[in-house]
Amino acid sequence: MKDERRRIFLEEYAKFGTQTTAAKIAGLSYNTIENWKKENPEFAAAMRESQQMLVEKLEKCAVERATGGGSDPILMFLLKALDRNKYGERVRHEFAM
């Protein structure tokens, strides 16, 4: 039963991108998910993989909108939130001497 709920949670997390929504669908509490992440490195890794699946789905959507002549700023905000390394703001510091 526990393994089935974890599987459902991970599938829904990849779909919706929020722990709260995925936990609710899987019949789990938010605290249960947080505990599993802390106690189980394999589960934490599976969550990162599910999040990456969502990022790739959003990337596909962004490319389709960009090449179709549309624009959607909220999509960019989601991409930044989900993958800061790739889509986050970068600051460059230069010092003159």
Side-chain angles (χ1 to χ4, degrees):
M1 182 70 152
K2 185 177 174 180
D3 288 340
E4 178 67 10
R5 288 183 182 217
R6 283 184 186 187
R7 183 191 63 74
I8 292 169
F9 170 80
L10 292 168
E11 285 178 4
E12 299 304 319
Y13 186 57
K15 244 189 264 182
F16 296 106
T18 67
Q19 286 183 213
T20 305
T21 301
K24 185 176 181 180
I25 292 169
L28 299 165
S29 72
Y30 183 87
N31 288 336
T32 297
I33 301 304
E34 287 299 308
N35 289 336
W36 285 351
K37 282 194 309 187
K38 291 176 191 170
E39 297 167 1
N40 186 335
E42 291 174 359
F43 179 74
M47 277 193 69
R48 288 189 298 275
E49 185 177 323
S50 292
Q51 185 176 14
Q52 187 57 38
M53 290 168 63
L54 178 61
V55 169
E56 289 180 15
K57 197 169 12 175
L58 291 173
E59 287 174 332
K60 181 180 181 285
C61 183
V63 169
E64 288 171 356
R65 288 183 182 183
T67 58
S71 174
D72 196 347
I74 193 69
L75 183 60
M76 194 63 223
F77 288 120
L78 286 170
L79 287 169
K80 285 180 183 182
L82 292 170
D83 194 343
R84 289 189 187 279
N85 289 333
K86 192 170 188 180
Y87 296 103
E89 302 296 327
R90 290 187 174 76
V91 178
R92 184 174 162 188
H93 297 281
E94 291 185 22
F95 298 95
M97 301 251 191

